[in-house]
Amino acid sequence: MAAADIVVEQPALTVIADGGTKGFGNVSVTSPVTLIFTVRNTGDAPLTLGAPTIDGPDAAEFSATNPAGPLAAGAATTFNVTCSPASTGGKVAALHLPNNGPGAKNPYDINLTATGTTPDISVDQAVDDGTEAFGNVPWGGTPVSVTFTITNTGTAPLNLSPAPSIIGTSQFSITTAPAATVAAGGNTSLVVTCTPTSRGAKNATLRIPSNVLGSKNPYDITLTAPAIAPVMTVSQGANVANDGTVNFGTVNVGIGAKLLFTIFNTGDASLTGLTITKDGAHQGDFTVTVNPTAPVAAPSGSTTFEVNFVPSAGGTRMAAIHTASNDPASNPFNINLMGAGTTPPAGSDSYGYRMEGTPIDTVNLLNSDGVTLPPDVVEATLLLGDDVSQSINLGFPFTFYDR
């Protein structure tokens, strides 16, 4: 008499005996595993199949699809069984496949086992929602990098997907990306570099998405970095703006007029690399006679330099000096220089002084207030203290001309 018969295989052509066991192995709580089971009719009559059922302690963590039927003699079909563990640890259930096969094979029973696993994440430098401080980072100097070590402290592969990113200012960047998958117990490295483009506090968030369940997905770390830099200012009696102008006034041709400039550092990093160059149509008339010294300490250090203006000809004379430094906002610091050259009156010396008339008394010299000078003062070169005034009666007409 013809009869149907049944075997179940997983994988195909590997028979699982009625009452046997199929293990799913380790199954991540975030990544269900599906196995394909093959049902084969080994009899000589059609095999009918019912819908599989699952029972046992962890039946809710397994599911099955329905196989197609009936099956002709020698024919086969497939159905799927999926393990979706809700927690870690061992999982046990039993699958029952109704059919019209002989005796004990109806239903066909298969014990199902699995071990639920889960990834977990920790970062050595900071807890989730913690902070990593980069310390002082020089604007215009060498960028500062921090290496973050990401460890999978769980029992299933850790998938870092989508890729980690920086949220907030572009002055932080990921310069070395981590591995996309980290095995249980393994780790990978991620490097973040801070390259500030201005002074002041810089803040951003390093976001690390993953397949971890719960609040640590994504894993967020606040990044902080005070960006520091020197701030160079220049004073010559009053503050001189970068690209500003300093006027030496009118100076006799061939005679020098010196101005002293003061450089201040009002920033929060040392001012270094002070070097002065000059250019311009009459640069030869302007000479830096005293150079500034560096470093200049922050926030209130200072240094000075001196410029001597010696006009080589009359008329307006112009040049510019440029002070290089490590101040990224004012490098170089430019100052336009100008002055006017003039020729002394005829008959005067190079300083513009001349006498008129002939001395009539070189002994009884008088102060401008009419008080007779001491008898030992017999010439103008011996005038001291209150003997010197803007106008002195020497007993003969004597005229001072401004330089």
Side-chain angles (χ1 to χ4, degrees):
M1 181 177 177
D5 203 352
I6 180 173
V7 294
V8 178
E9 304 163 356
Q10 208 300 306
L13 303 181
T14 300
V15 175
I16 303 172
D18 181 32
T21 298
K22 180 60 187 180
F24 280 68
N26 290 334
V27 181
S28 171
V29 297
T30 63
S31 302
V33 171
T34 297
L35 299 181
I36 300 174
F37 289 73
T38 299
V39 181
R40 195 177 304 278
N41 180 2
T42 58
D44 52 8
L47 175 66
T48 60
L49 300 171
T53 61
I54 298 175
D55 58 22
D58 302 300
E61 296 174 62
F62 294 87
S63 61
T65 61
N66 295 331
L71 297 179
T77 188
T78 61
F79 68 98
N80 297 339
V81 178
T82 299
C83 176
S84 305
S87 61
T88 59
K91 307 298 175 184
V92 176
L95 180 140
H96 312 286
L97 179 60
N99 62 85
N100 65 336
K105 289 186 178 180
N106 181 20
Y108 200 104
D109 301 319
I110 301 174
N111 297 307
L112 306 175
T113 64
T115 300
T117 61
T118 185
D120 203 353
I121 185 173
S122 70
V123 179
D124 288 358
Q125 285 64 35
V127 299
D128 183 32
D129 295 323
T131 299
E132 172 63 16
F134 278 60
N136 290 335
V137 180
W139 170 32
T142 302
V144 173
S145 296
V146 171
T147 299
F148 294 82
T149 301
I150 302 170
T151 301
N152 180 2
T153 57
T155 53
L158 173 66
N159 298 323
L160 301 179
S161 179
S165 61
I166 300 294
I167 299 174
T169 176
S170 61
Q171 296 177 70
F172 293 90
S173 61
I174 296 174
T175 49
T176 301
T181 301
V182 183
N187 61 65
T188 186
S189 295
L190 178 154
V191 178
V192 175
T193 299
C194 179
T195 310
T197 57
S198 61
R199 284 179 69 228
K202 310 302 176 189
N203 299 283
T205 298
L206 170 61
R207 174 156 292 178
I208 307 174
S210 70
N211 61 334
V212 172
L213 297 178
S215 62
K216 289 196 286 186
N217 182 20
Y219 196 108
D220 289 339
I221 300 173
T222 298
L223 309 176
T224 65
I228 61 172
V231 176
M232 176 177 168
T233 62
V234 179
S235 173
Q236 203 295 301
N239 282 342
V240 180
N242 194 2
D243 295 318
T245 299
V246 172
N247 194 334
F248 281 71
T250 301
V251 179
N252 286 345
V253 172
I255 301 301
K258 296 179 179 180
L259 291 181
L260 186 68
F261 295 76
T262 301
I263 295 174
F264 295 95
N265 178 10
T266 60
D268 41 28
S270 291
L271 180 66
T272 61
L274 295 174
T275 304
I276 299 178
T277 59
K278 63 179 182 176
D279 57 23
H282 310 115
Q283 59 178 295
D285 290 3
F286 298 86
T287 303
V288 178
T289 52
V290 177
N291 282 292
T293 59
V296 181
S300 58
S302 65
T303 185
T304 59
F305 67 93
E306 184 179 76
V307 179
N308 189 21
F309 172 47
V310 183
S312 58
T316 300
R317 316 297 287 173
M318 302 184 71
I321 56 173
H322 314 283
T323 304
S325 73
N326 65 329
D327 177 356
S330 300
N331 185 22
F333 196 104
N334 306 307
I335 301 176
N336 299 304
L337 305 177
M338 67 178 299
T342 188
T343 302
S348 66
D349 63 12
S350 59
Y351 290 90
Y353 302 139
R354 78 169 183 263
M355 292 184 181
E356 293 182 351
T358 302
I360 58 177
D361 186 347
T362 61
V363 176
N364 296 317
L365 302 179
L366 302 177
N367 273 323
S368 59
D369 57 6
V371 179
T372 302
L373 295 173
D376 59 332
V377 179
V378 295
E379 54 189 59
T381 57
L382 297 179
L383 298 178
L384 300 173
D386 69 352
D387 296 343
V388 180
S389 62
Q390 184 176 359
S391 175
I392 301 176
N393 184 354
L394 297 177
F396 56 85
F398 186 90
T399 303
F400 284 95
Y401 286 88
D402 288 339
R403 294 164 52 188

